[in-house]
Amino acid sequence: MSAATQQAKDNNLICDMYEGHAPFKPRYVLPDYQLFLQQGSKYLELEPAQDFDDALNNLMILYHFVPSVTNIPVFIGHLDQLLMPYVGELSEEQIYSKLKRFWIMLDRVLPDAFMHANIGPSDNIVCRTILKIDAELAQIAPNLSLLFDTEKTPESLLLQACENIATTSKPHIVNHNMHKQKYAEKGYGVVSCYNVLPVAGGCNTLVRVNLKGVAEQANSITDFMQVQLPLYCQAAYELIEARCQFLHKDSNFFDHFLVQEGILDEKRFAPMFGIYGMAECINTLLSKEQLQGHYGEDQNANALALEITQLVAKIVDQTEVPYGYHGRALLHSQGGLNSDVDVTPGIRIEYGTEPDPITHLMSLAPQHQYFTSGVSEILTLEPTVRGNPQAIQQLCKGAFNHGIGIFTANVATNDLVRITGYMVRMSDINKLSEQGSRTNTTALADGAIKSTHVSQRQPRVVSHEFNHWQNK
Amino acid sequence: MNSIIGKINKIIHFSVVDGPGSRLVIFLQGCNYNCINCHNPHTINHCNSCQECVVTCPPSALQTIDEQQPPKYSTDICIGCDTCISLCPINSDPRISEISVTEMLTEISKYASFIEGITVSGGEATLQFKFVKSLFEAIKQDTHLSHLSCFIDTNGSLQVDKWRQLIDVTDGVMVDLKAWDQQVHLKLTGKSNHKVKETIKYLAKHNKLYEVRLLEIPTVTDYLLRIDEMASWLHQHASGVKIRINGFRHHGVTGKALALPQATKQDTNSLKLSLQQHQFEDICISGAFI
């Protein structure tokens, strides 16, 4: 790495997520579980799955061999699509009790809320049963996404998911129409917080650019757009390259049995090019130009954010990388770390200053399409919405209609709360300092709450809108 | 171009408590009741242009342009402190906008894909009968908006004659039954509830009664006291109706209303239990009291 890049990293303008300089495994790995269930594994001495129990058992075994940044898999598969071929003659009750044990096993054995399951877009008994169990157990793990496709997903399934959100703030609902063309025939999976990555591949490394920090270096909007931002993007690329070279050339990772058995494909790994701190970036730039405007509230601020997103997207689109998906990195709105202080995740609106939920979604929607490997915003809704899950459903459909990629909502006062994209139980946080926690992510969430004001997200349905000045 | 004007106190883009699904709610200024327990009394009267609020507005968001007209209100300057409405001598609000049906359609269009419909509330929405009728007709005729349902939140005082003219363009109505007994209703609101009962009967008969709302004020309202009579009347005239129980809280109320007792969770639960014992099945208690 050049001295300039090292300095940018030391000054926290670019960041390698503190993984060290010599990664020996990719950050996020998405095994092709379907292939694994069909062919078994020589290395693990497993025959192809014959029935539902085999499938659950084999999956549980493989989960222990999936490398990731957390050592716990961040993706456990499109579970309903994986399991439906093995349902056979099982009754609803049998499916329910098997899946319930599986769900408890996942949470207790792999206690990490970054572990992410996908269901949908088609309606089936496994999908419905998982939603039912997930609401009953209200566990932090696994993280859960329902893929919603206007052609394939019935309204009643979306409503069931919205009823779950009302009580547990899970699942995420994913705009499948927007993502389904991605990553060719094996498609995508939603993993970890809300990262959208190629199945049978994943992310080799994640480097992020601190837009707030870069804005502070700039002396004008023009300087930011023409000089500073491209400069730090290039520094990020240098860091990406150094990390990928080691992983792909020197680490021997791609001799792993998962690669040898075809469950992973080196060509389907790509770097994630993350940005964060858009909110502070915009407010900083506008104030340097002595312009009025606040991100999320004012059109000029939102328009500038869109311009910045488009510029970064163009850079990512035009910059070739040696170890990328079709030679490219994947743009990502990075959801933050527990150590981020006074900087808002990704392109989110600053915590505590959100407009009403519809204005909130509409102000961000135009940017979403550019973030190939994922972008999210967390809406916090007032508890009154529990009596009216149709309203969540309507909000979600409107969001997708306007181009939102993933719809995520916390309902205020629920025990389960979403932090950057993963879940935590508030009751666990409250006990953490005295009793510790059996789950990895509780401590991260505790840090995130203390340093990033994430819990100050305003619950928004009605009350604040009564203030006239909020409704300009 | 439809230039019929509505006097609008406030528009909320996303409400989950004003009818089914997510709704855009338009609060119309002006009410013919004078409820002692009103939780937004500043919607009761129309501004009489006295200009008193202009002097007291802390950030000077209100300005006198013409002594005979309501003050000019600047949203950009307003800080939302509500000093104007707390000092208004006549229970009004200087921040009212006059919005035409056409302008309202443009506003609704922006939010159309996020909502199931719109609700007009107030104040008492039906006092601006022409605006409401014309707005609903326009929505039903607009190809981009006709999927939206049109609901009214009302005190029920509109005459049946007028309901008849609205019924075809209205999809559902939430009616407040503020007390069962005439005298109690009169004492509470300043008006008899005869028309309210006629409204409930008429709307139920035409399948447009979405919900009857009961606002429980302990020791003041008479729902529990007169439960047998009220229940049998509702079963007879509005069979199967959904009942929403709201518990009276001090939030938003002013003056004498602060001396009225607030409803506890127990109060609203007792009313619910009693209604269940009287064979009502569809009962909900509003969110804040669960």
Side-chain angles (χ1 to χ4, degrees):
Chain A
M1 269 188 334
S2 66
T5 300
Q6 185 62 48
Q7 199 184 356
K9 187 167 165 286
D10 294 343
N11 292 340
N12 204 20
L13 297 173
I14 60 172
C15 164
D16 63 2
M17 313 299 284
Y18 314 108
E19 285 179 10
H21 67 284
F24 59 92
K25 60 190 172 183
R27 185 172 176 87
Y28 304 119
V29 169
L30 293 76
D32 183 349
Y33 291 110
Q34 195 180 349
L35 183 69
F36 162 73
L37 287 180
Q38 284 164 3
Q39 71 184 19
S41 165
K42 276 202 184 114
Y43 179 83
L44 292 174
E45 301 174 41
L46 289 171
E47 292 298 313
Q50 301 298 326
D51 61 18
F52 205 77
D53 289 344
D54 277 352
L56 290 179
N57 200 45
N58 286 5
L59 285 173
M60 203 68 209
I61 292 168
L62 188 61
Y63 293 155
H64 285 272
F65 293 88
V66 179
S68 85
V69 60
T70 59
N71 290 321
I72 288 179
V74 292
F75 176 64
I76 56 170
H78 295 98
L79 287 178
D80 55 340
Q81 290 171 39
L82 289 171
L83 294 171
M84 277 310 286
Y86 304 98
V87 162
E89 302 294 306
L90 292 177
S91 69
E92 264 180 55
E93 289 73 29
Q94 288 169 315
I95 294 171
Y96 172 81
S97 62
K98 286 173 195 295
L99 283 174
K100 189 166 177 177
R101 283 188 215 113
F102 178 63
W103 224 239
I104 293 170
M105 172 92 93
L106 285 170
D107 178 73
R108 304 304 189 276
V109 176
L110 301 167
D112 187 298
F114 295 119
M115 175 179 64
H116 207 135
N118 291 194
I119 50 175
S122 59
D123 194 4
N124 58 66
I125 179 75
V126 173
C127 179
R128 292 271 182 173
T129 308
I130 284 175
L131 282 175
K132 186 178 168 195
I133 293 167
D134 197 61
E136 278 174 17
L137 296 176
Q139 300 171 161
I140 55 141
N143 203 346
L144 186 64
S145 280
L146 171 73
L147 315 187
F148 176 79
D149 185 320
T150 47
E151 306 285 309
K152 286 187 186 157
T153 315
E155 291 283 315
S156 66
L157 181 58
L158 179 60
L159 181 60
Q160 190 183 345
C162 292
E163 285 165 354
N164 279 20
I165 291 173
T167 55
T168 63
S169 308
K170 286 168 79 179
H172 298 271
I173 300 175
V174 179
N175 187 346
H176 188 62
N177 299 79
M178 186 167 155
H179 299 295
K180 64 183 172 188
Q181 306 303 335
K182 281 177 190 167
Y183 311 137
E185 74 276 18
K186 290 197 170 173
Y188 75 96
V190 180
V191 318
S192 192
C193 280
Y194 50 82
N195 312 351
V196 179
L197 293 168
V199 168
C203 160
N204 38 27
T205 188
L206 166 56
V207 169
R208 58 181 194 157
V209 176
N210 176 354
L211 294 180
K212 176 193 179 185
V214 177
E216 284 163 354
Q217 306 289 310
N219 53 36
S220 67
I221 292 178
T222 314
D223 181 42
F224 178 85
M225 302 291 274
Q226 292 182 359
V227 182
Q228 303 295 340
L229 185 58
L231 187 73
Y232 287 102
C233 285
Q234 287 321 311
Y237 270 110
E238 201 184 315
L239 187 54
I240 284 173
E241 171 118 21
R243 300 174 60 73
C244 285
Q245 286 292 350
F246 184 84
L247 179 71
H248 286 262
K249 288 262 194 202
D250 303 328
S251 76
N252 296 327
F253 174 80
F254 290 95
D255 298 332
H256 199 285
F257 83 92
L258 291 170
V259 181
Q260 287 170 351
E261 296 189 8
I263 296 164
L264 292 176
D265 175 356
E266 187 174 359
K267 287 200 214 58
R268 291 179 67 81
F269 280 87
M272 286 164 77
F273 189 102
I275 57 168
Y276 72 111
M278 179 68 91
E280 290 79 13
C281 166
I282 298 301
N283 297 342
T284 302
L285 290 176
L286 289 177
S287 99
K288 283 194 174 183
E289 299 272 0
Q290 288 171 353
L291 292 169
Q292 297 286 316
H294 201 267
Y295 185 53
E297 275 174 43
D298 298 294
Q299 280 198 354
N300 64 328
N302 296 342
L304 178 59
L306 180 60
E307 250 184 85
I308 293 171
T309 286
Q310 285 168 332
L311 175 62
V312 183
K314 193 173 158 196
I315 292 172
V316 171
D317 195 45
Q318 290 176 349
T319 308
E320 202 170 336
V321 293
Y323 301 98
Y325 185 76
H326 294 299
R328 295 294 182 277
L330 305 167
L331 184 57
H332 184 65
S333 167
Q334 206 277 324
L337 284 172
N338 57 332
S339 53
D340 291 346
V341 179
D342 293 334
V343 55
T344 304
I347 60 159
R348 285 183 190 164
I349 294 173
E350 216 176 314
Y351 296 129
T353 69
E354 311 83 352
D356 73 85
I358 297 179
T359 309
H360 191 160
L361 289 165
M362 288 202 300
S363 62
L364 295 172
Q367 294 184 62
H368 270 215
Q369 58 178 307
Y370 297 101
F371 294 93
T372 310
S373 61
V375 49
S376 108
E377 177 56 280
I378 301 175
L379 293 177
T380 300
L381 304 177
E382 274 188 15
T384 46
V385 82
R386 274 193 212 120
N388 191 352
Q390 296 91 326
I392 303 177
Q393 181 182 11
Q394 201 77 47
L395 198 60
C396 173
K397 282 163 61 183
F400 289 171
N401 213 294
H402 280 75
I404 291 283
I406 297 185
F407 177 84
T408 308
N410 272 335
V411 174
T413 75
N414 279 354
D415 189 32
L416 273 188
V417 173
R418 205 172 283 281
I419 304 299
T420 57
Y422 64 96
M423 311 298 301
V424 67
R425 281 198 301 227
M426 287 312 283
S427 49
D428 286 347
I429 296 260
N430 297 337
K431 287 186 293 194
L432 178 70
S433 58
E434 285 168 14
Q435 300 177 12
S437 171
R438 68 171 177 81
T439 55
N440 292 350
T441 31
T442 306
L444 295 179
D446 183 55
I449 286 173
K450 286 184 181 134
S451 59
T452 67
H453 313 299
V454 60
S455 61
Q456 288 173 19
R457 187 58 110 198
Q458 303 268 349
R460 313 305 307 281
V461 176
V462 179
S463 52
H464 221 43
E465 282 74 4
F466 271 109
N467 282 344
H468 282 253
W469 62 283
Q470 284 282 342
N471 199 25
K472 289 168 191 172
Chain B
M1 181 72 191
N2 186 327
S3 55
I4 296 176
I5 295 286
K7 294 194 170 187
I8 312 297
N9 183 281
K10 181 72 192 164
I11 298 170
I12 291 180
H13 305 130
F14 178 68
S15 165
V16 301
V17 293
D18 294 283
S22 91
R23 313 192 69 79
L24 181 142
V25 187
I26 304 162
F27 292 88
L28 300 176
Q29 184 71 9
C31 186
N32 52 343
Y33 282 10
N34 205 359
C35 299
I36 46 174
N37 56 290
C38 184
H39 66 276
N40 41 10
H42 58 283
T43 64
I44 296 177
N45 292 309
H46 290 284
C47 176
N48 64 0
S49 310
C50 75
Q51 315 293 332
E52 278 190 30
C53 52
V54 174
V55 198
T56 51
C57 176
S60 302
L62 296 163
Q63 281 179 296
T64 302
I65 303 294
D66 173 347
E67 296 279 348
Q68 309 304 314
Q69 294 292 323
K72 179 174 176 282
Y73 166 61
S74 310
T75 49
D76 291 350
I77 302 170
C78 178
I79 55 166
C81 66
D82 285 348
T83 305
C84 52
I85 57 171
S86 66
L87 296 178
C88 179
I90 62 156
N91 274 338
S92 184
D93 189 332
R95 303 168 299 187
I96 305 310
S97 336
E98 297 197 345
I99 300 180
S100 73
V101 168
T102 304
E103 286 164 341
M104 190 58 82
L105 292 182
T106 310
E107 180 72 5
I108 295 169
S109 301
K110 287 192 231 162
Y111 302 94
S113 65
F114 291 93
I115 53 175
E116 193 160 322
I118 68 152
T119 298
V120 292
S121 182
E124 171 49 34
T126 63
L127 292 179
Q128 298 189 42
F129 178 83
K130 263 175 125 174
F131 176 76
V132 171
K133 181 167 183 278
S134 172
L135 176 65
F136 284 10
E137 283 169 353
I139 287 172
K140 300 290 173 198
Q141 283 163 13
D142 187 311
T143 46
H144 301 295
L145 301 178
S146 59
H147 64 284
L148 298 176
S149 59
C150 298
F151 275 62
I152 303 174
D153 185 356
T154 178
N155 62 22
S157 62
L158 188 71
Q159 332 177 45
V160 166
D161 253 13
K162 293 282 184 111
W163 281 119
R164 204 167 278 136
Q165 297 172 51
L166 272 180
I167 200 88
D168 290 338
V169 286
T170 303
D171 298 289
V173 184
M174 283 80 74
V175 183
D176 288 343
L177 180 57
K178 293 180 194 281
W180 175 251
D181 184 84
Q182 290 284 359
Q183 291 308 313
V184 179
H185 195 276
L186 189 65
K187 203 174 139 201
L188 206 57
T189 69
K191 292 277 165 64
S192 126
N193 64 8
H194 173 72
K195 283 182 186 160
V196 182
K197 290 179 183 173
E198 291 303 308
T199 290
I200 290 174
K201 268 158 78 172
Y202 177 79
L203 292 171
K205 193 174 156 197
H206 292 83
N207 293 320
K208 295 289 166 82
L209 183 64
Y210 177 74
E211 185 174 275
V212 169
R213 297 179 160 181
L214 308 178
L215 176 68
E216 170 67 14
I217 313 173
T219 73
V220 178
T221 48
D222 58 348
Y223 306 119
L224 273 170
L225 220 56
R226 307 288 294 274
I227 190 83
D228 293 334
E229 210 181 320
M230 181 173 83
S232 91
W233 187 88
L234 281 170
H235 283 308
Q236 186 185 348
H237 297 292
S239 152
V241 69
K242 174 178 179 175
I243 296 187
R244 177 180 291 274
I245 302 170
N246 293 311
F248 174 69
R249 308 295 297 170
H250 285 166
H251 177 80
V253 305
T254 54
K256 276 193 291 184
L258 290 168
L260 298 175
Q262 302 198 79
T264 62
K265 198 171 163 178
Q266 204 182 349
D267 293 320
T268 51
N269 281 340
S270 315
L271 181 54
K272 181 176 177 180
L273 190 66
S274 182
L275 286 162
Q276 279 168 335
Q277 284 162 351
H278 286 78
Q279 275 74 54
F280 288 93
E281 283 165 9
D282 197 354
I283 309 166
C284 64
I285 299 178
S286 278
F289 307 100
I290 289 171

